Amino acid sequence: MKKKSAIHNIRNIGIIAHIDAGKTTVTERVLYYTGRSHKIGEVHDGEAVMDWMPDEQERGITITSAVTTCQWKGNEIHIIDTPGHVDFTIEVERSLRVLDGAVGIFCAVGGVEPQSETVWRQADKYFVPKIAFINKLDRIGANYFGAVKMMQERLNANPLILQLPVGMEEDFSGIIDLIDMKQIVWDEDTMGFTYSIQEIPGDLLETAEEYREKLIETVAEVDDAIMEVYLSETPVTNESLIDAIRNATINLKLIPVLCGSALKNKGIQPLIDAIVRYLPSPADVPPIKGIHPETGEIVECIAKDTEPLAALIFKVLMTEGRKLSFVRIYSGKIKAKGDVYNPLRKENEKLARILRMHANKKERIDTAGAGSIVGVIGLKESSTGETLCSVDHPVILEKIEHDKPVISVAVEPKTHADQEKLDQVIEKFIAEDPTLKVKKDEDTGQTILSGMGELHLEIIISRMKREFKTSVNVGKPQVVYRETINIEAKASAVFDNEVAGQRQFGEVSLSLKPLGRGTGNRFKSMITDDIIPEAYIPAIEKGVMESLESGATMGYPVVDVEAVLTGGSYKDSLSTDLAYTVSASMACKAALAKGEPFLLDPIMAVEVFVPEAFIGDVIGNLNARNGKIESIEHKVGVQVVKAIVPLSKMFGYSTSLRSATQGRGTFTMQFSHFDRC
């Protein structure tokens, strides 16, 4: 077993990008050139190491974030290859939560595409330092500087060009390194494994010197030491330039930009060098902060093996009937067969095994220290987003946030035998995927699965049949609507009943007012203590908020409403929390019914990429679906139509788009907001 790297030599990085930008293709090359794989697996052949699920291989897309570890020049790199499809955004969210750095991959033809923006914003939310790799420079329509400009415009990023491409499209042959001022050319006979470092040709030297000067100017703007050297007109050394770029990257001031073509095996080794050079080790990022569960004090978890344990479960996978938990260790270390403590559940757990992951292959190890990302087997109760620590030093780390599901489907077992399996299977999926929700419809008795999109639910159904041999009938997906009110409405209610042999009394008067879209629900009290004592206000708020979970029209959750407590009455010795909760709920239901309630549709932001010849058909189709066209942008060989469309009108759109564009149109869709159609 290889000796564990010192913490300064560890890099925890994620590969993030829009669907089809080449994330998995880049990762496959990284694994090949670092010696982790012995051949390059191609996505289009269904042989990519990181796309190991049958559904991923069939569809040629990444569905689940896969973890792997590789070695490069004495450094240990943990890589998470994340999905680009918006339906699996939770995989990106939870990966970024535990990573120290990210490589954003952009297609040189498409530039910054919609999902690139989403994942980039997710990385910004967690203050993750990033480097960018402009991929597919060999493709027709590739525009390196256009992609860099889009990074500035769409991502509000400050890109720092470290490399220039030699040639473009079919003439792309190598890159110019602006730090060492050399040309790098890859040997096609060795699948890019070997490459030669050459002098920059005379016809490119002037351009390279111009961009090297721009590089130093950009770094000087964010680094005082480089600024001093630059102003004194003495040459800037490569060592000081690399150090300054590293500091600026870690402090989120600059985004180093590299380029290449992963499919043609060009540009990958300098990318791995840049990961090690510019992205932080666990010791370079500020210590993660948690909360002491008893005192509420903030606890800093310093990235050292000698510190108390603090680790976060960021993902759970059911594999071969066992629960495999993926854990990021922030401080301290864990041992196989050792005990850990879950402060949220107040339970001790035993780690049966610790595994170093390589996609779906596993290597058993005895210990893992600070900065490591490992798989563990043996955790019975603990689940995604929960903390593992020691009993003596309890700490709770911030949980992982995720969006609410927007689309539902009714599932029912085909046979009696499937009925028994179905509930267990769904339970396993929910343990794996926090964005998947299940509920039993009381009226129909159906099992309703809710997820992030049609593809998300399609994959779940496919996995049910393939992995768990559970056959189900699937009903048409139901859209998860919201409700709200149109006008202000008032209502009062009295609860005066005997409960468990004791008379209980509560009277509440409420006013419900509509709020602006996206505001959420609010509650406030406008009464004095002599009308209803303050101690009962939380019980009234609870009754109101619970009744807003089911609206008056079709029972969907009510949003964007302010409930104001305007009156009521109190009887000494008879009034109770229960009475006020029930009367508040009754008053709220009555006011909702009077407030002219109506449904809100989930509105999706849709981007359609379509060849110019089919633009009229695509716009006509979107208009027929009650879509509102917001803009049409022209890119090389393609038009980009941006629109907002109700989700209820988007079912089957992928089939309809393919037939209207002879299979050449593609689209992306993500939730925008709820609104009245």
Side-chain angles (χ1 to χ4, degrees):
M1 194 177 76
K2 290 192 180 82
K3 184 175 178 292
K4 186 183 180 304
S5 308
I7 195 159
H8 287 280
N9 295 338
I10 292 176
R11 300 289 179 275
N12 290 317
I13 63 142
I15 310 281
I16 60 170
H18 185 89
I19 191 167
D20 276 347
K23 293 179 302 303
T24 304
T25 307
V26 168
T27 310
E28 292 299 318
R29 268 70 185 169
V30 171
L31 296 179
Y32 180 61
Y33 299 138
T34 57
R36 195 70 180 83
S37 297
H38 301 297
K39 76 180 185 90
I40 295 175
E42 299 293 12
V43 176
H44 51 261
D45 296 332
E47 290 180 356
V49 173
M50 302 300 272
D51 286 353
W52 55 270
M53 287 171 67
D55 281 296
E56 293 178 311
Q57 292 165 353
E58 278 178 14
R59 296 163 196 266
I61 60 169
T62 302
I63 291 167
T64 180
S65 50
V67 180
T68 191
T69 305
C70 56
Q71 308 285 333
W72 182 254
K73 298 179 181 176
N75 296 280
E76 185 176 296
I77 306 174
H78 302 165
I79 303 173
I80 299 185
D81 174 30
T82 63
H85 200 287
V86 67
D87 282 19
F88 310 106
T89 187
I90 178 64
E91 292 288 339
V92 184
E93 185 83 28
R94 58 183 170 192
S95 301
L96 288 170
R97 170 73 172 77
V98 297
L99 293 170
D100 302 320
V103 179
I105 297 184
F106 301 96
C107 169
V109 182
V112 178
E113 295 166 286
Q115 190 62 12
S116 311
E117 290 184 58
T118 305
V119 294
W120 198 268
R121 280 197 299 272
Q122 285 173 304
D124 284 343
K125 183 169 93 178
Y126 292 120
F127 305 105
V128 176
K130 298 172 282 292
I131 59 179
F133 181 74
I134 311 291
N135 190 25
K136 303 192 179 184
L137 285 169
D138 59 309
R139 289 260 308 271
I140 292 171
N143 183 347
Y144 177 58
F145 297 105
V148 173
K149 187 163 181 261
M150 283 178 80
M151 283 178 64
Q152 287 172 300
E153 291 169 354
R154 290 201 173 186
L155 305 175
N156 205 18
N158 191 3
L160 177 72
I161 293 176
L162 299 186
Q163 296 175 348
L164 297 177
V166 178
M168 203 75 78
E169 300 180 344
E170 68 266 25
D171 299 327
F172 174 63
S173 61
I175 62 166
I176 290 171
D177 180 344
L178 297 176
I179 301 280
D180 293 327
M181 287 300 280
K182 298 284 182 187
Q183 175 175 280
I184 305 175
V185 178
W186 276 266
D187 182 357
E188 294 189 9
D189 294 335
T190 64
M191 302 280 287
F193 203 90
T194 56
Y195 53 92
S196 57
I197 296 172
Q198 307 168 356
E199 294 303 318
I200 299 171
D203 58 332
L204 298 174
L205 192 57
E206 192 181 327
T207 306
E209 284 170 347
E210 179 195 332
Y211 275 94
R212 160 102 179 174
E213 189 70 14
K214 282 183 184 174
L215 186 156
I216 294 170
E217 278 176 26
T218 308
V219 176
E221 285 171 14
V222 297
D223 189 283
D224 295 341
I226 298 290
M227 179 64 88
E228 277 180 36
V229 176
Y230 181 66
L231 293 175
S232 66
E233 296 189 359
T234 51
V236 176
T237 65
N238 285 1
E239 289 74 20
S240 61
L241 192 55
I242 288 167
D243 286 346
I245 295 171
R246 177 178 175 78
N247 288 333
T249 305
I250 291 172
N251 293 315
L252 309 177
K253 292 177 181 172
L254 293 175
I255 310 288
V257 179
L258 300 96
C259 61
S261 165
L263 194 63
K264 294 286 165 41
N265 310 309
K266 292 176 180 145
I268 302 300
Q269 292 94 334
L271 173 64
I272 313 172
D273 286 334
I275 287 167
V276 171
R277 260 185 193 175
Y278 305 122
L279 290 178
S281 75
D284 297 324
V285 292
I288 193 164
K289 292 183 172 70
I291 290 171
H292 193 290
E294 282 140 34
T295 63
E297 288 173 12
I298 289 175
V299 180
E300 272 201 351
C301 306
I302 296 160
K304 287 183 181 173
D305 288 3
T306 50
E307 290 286 313
L309 175 67
L312 185 79
I313 303 167
F314 66 95
K315 177 173 172 158
V316 170
L317 196 62
M318 294 298 174
T319 173
E320 296 162 5
R322 285 184 165 182
K323 181 173 166 184
L324 172 64
S325 305
F326 290 83
V327 174
R328 161 72 198 259
I329 305 168
Y330 287 100
S331 66
K333 61 182 181 181
I334 56 174
K335 292 181 181 174
K337 299 190 169 59
D339 289 334
V340 289
Y341 178 64
N342 182 330
L344 275 169
R345 296 180 184 264
K346 296 187 169 59
E347 287 191 14
N348 283 305
E349 295 258 39
K350 196 168 216 46
L351 303 175
R353 290 184 196 167
I354 305 172
L355 307 166
R356 182 178 286 129
M357 302 302 298
H358 179 48
N360 62 331
K361 298 181 177 68
K362 311 167 189 75
E363 175 193 337
R364 285 175 76 160
I365 54 176
D366 296 326
T367 62
S372 299
I373 293 177
V374 290
V376 299
I377 286 176
L379 299 178
K380 290 188 170 65
E381 304 300 329
S382 305
S383 67
T384 303
E386 294 180 5
T387 306
L388 300 177
C389 58
S390 63
V391 182
D392 308 336
H393 298 88
V395 60
I396 296 176
L397 302 174
E398 185 189 349
K399 289 198 82 166
I400 296 166
E401 293 174 8
H402 53 82
D403 292 332
K404 301 274 189 297
V406 292
I407 185 168
S408 298
V409 56
V411 293
E412 56 183 36
K414 283 192 174 173
T415 67
H416 185 67
D418 291 327
Q419 171 69 63
E420 292 171 7
K421 278 199 278 184
L422 183 62
D423 292 342
Q424 295 170 353
V425 170
I426 289 175
E427 208 174 291
K428 287 177 179 173
F429 282 130
I430 287 171
E432 280 187 16
D433 185 350
T435 58
L436 189 68
K437 300 289 179 203
V438 65
K439 68 171 185 180
K440 281 272 196 293
D441 190 312
E442 299 302 328
D443 298 328
T444 63
Q446 282 181 312
T447 301
I448 307 289
L449 272 184
S450 302
M452 302 306 295
E454 277 186 284
L455 181 62
H456 183 201
L457 293 175
E458 212 178 285
I459 299 289
I460 294 292
I461 302 298
S462 165
R463 286 185 62 200
M464 269 184 196
K465 293 174 183 172
R466 196 194 300 263
E467 291 175 34
F468 297 99
K469 309 287 184 284
T470 307
S471 297
V472 291
N473 293 318
V474 181
K476 189 184 172 197
Q478 301 294 308
V479 176
V480 181
Y481 294 95
R482 296 288 183 269
E483 296 186 20
T484 193
I485 55 172
N486 197 34
I487 57 168
E488 185 177 347
K490 296 177 181 176
S492 299
V494 179
F495 181 82
D496 188 357
N497 277 345
E498 198 173 286
V499 180
Q502 182 189 344
R503 189 174 159 217
Q504 304 201 19
F505 175 85
E507 182 182 2
V508 169
S509 296
L510 291 173
S511 166
L512 293 188
K513 298 176 185 172
L515 296 174
R517 290 293 153 267
T519 313
N521 292 333
R522 294 201 296 247
F523 173 85
K524 68 177 180 184
S525 170
M526 299 289 283
I527 62 169
T528 50
D529 222 16
D530 57 327
I531 298 172
I532 298 174
E534 198 175 323
Y536 294 112
I537 302 300
I540 294 171
E541 183 176 356
K542 181 180 173 225
V544 169
M545 290 305 175
E546 282 177 359
S547 67
L548 291 178
E549 287 172 12
S550 173
T553 311
M554 290 177 71
Y556 290 106
V558 179
V559 294
D560 304 334
V561 164
E562 181 179 60
V564 182
L565 178 59
T566 55
S569 64
Y570 163 75
K571 288 186 181 176
D572 200 13
S573 79
L574 292 180
S575 290
T576 60
D577 280 347
L578 174 67
Y580 281 117
T581 300
V582 175
S583 56
S585 179
M586 289 158 60
C588 187
K589 291 279 186 214
L592 282 173
K594 292 181 189 172
E596 295 181 5
F598 61 89
L599 286 181
L600 294 172
D601 283 73
I603 306 294
M604 310 304 282
V606 179
E607 286 205 10
V608 188
F609 299 80
V610 57
E612 199 152 351
F614 307 107
I615 189 85
D617 293 340
V618 167
I619 289 172
N621 192 327
L622 287 171
N623 285 334
R625 293 171 185 268
N626 290 1
K628 180 180 166 193
I629 309 295
E630 296 200 309
S631 69
I632 300 170
E633 285 177 24
H634 179 71
K635 284 190 183 176
V636 181
V638 73
Q639 298 277 13
V640 183
V641 181
K642 294 187 180 181
I644 55 170
V645 192
L647 176 62
S648 55
K649 303 289 184 184
M650 286 301 288
F651 291 120
Y653 183 64
S654 50
T655 311
S656 146
L657 179 66
R658 280 191 206 112
S659 60
T661 61
Q662 297 172 4
R664 291 167 64 197
T666 60
F667 80 103
T668 63
M669 173 172 85
Q670 59 196 75
F671 174 72
S672 170
H673 61 284
F674 282 99
D675 209 345
R676 195 171 194 166
C677 274

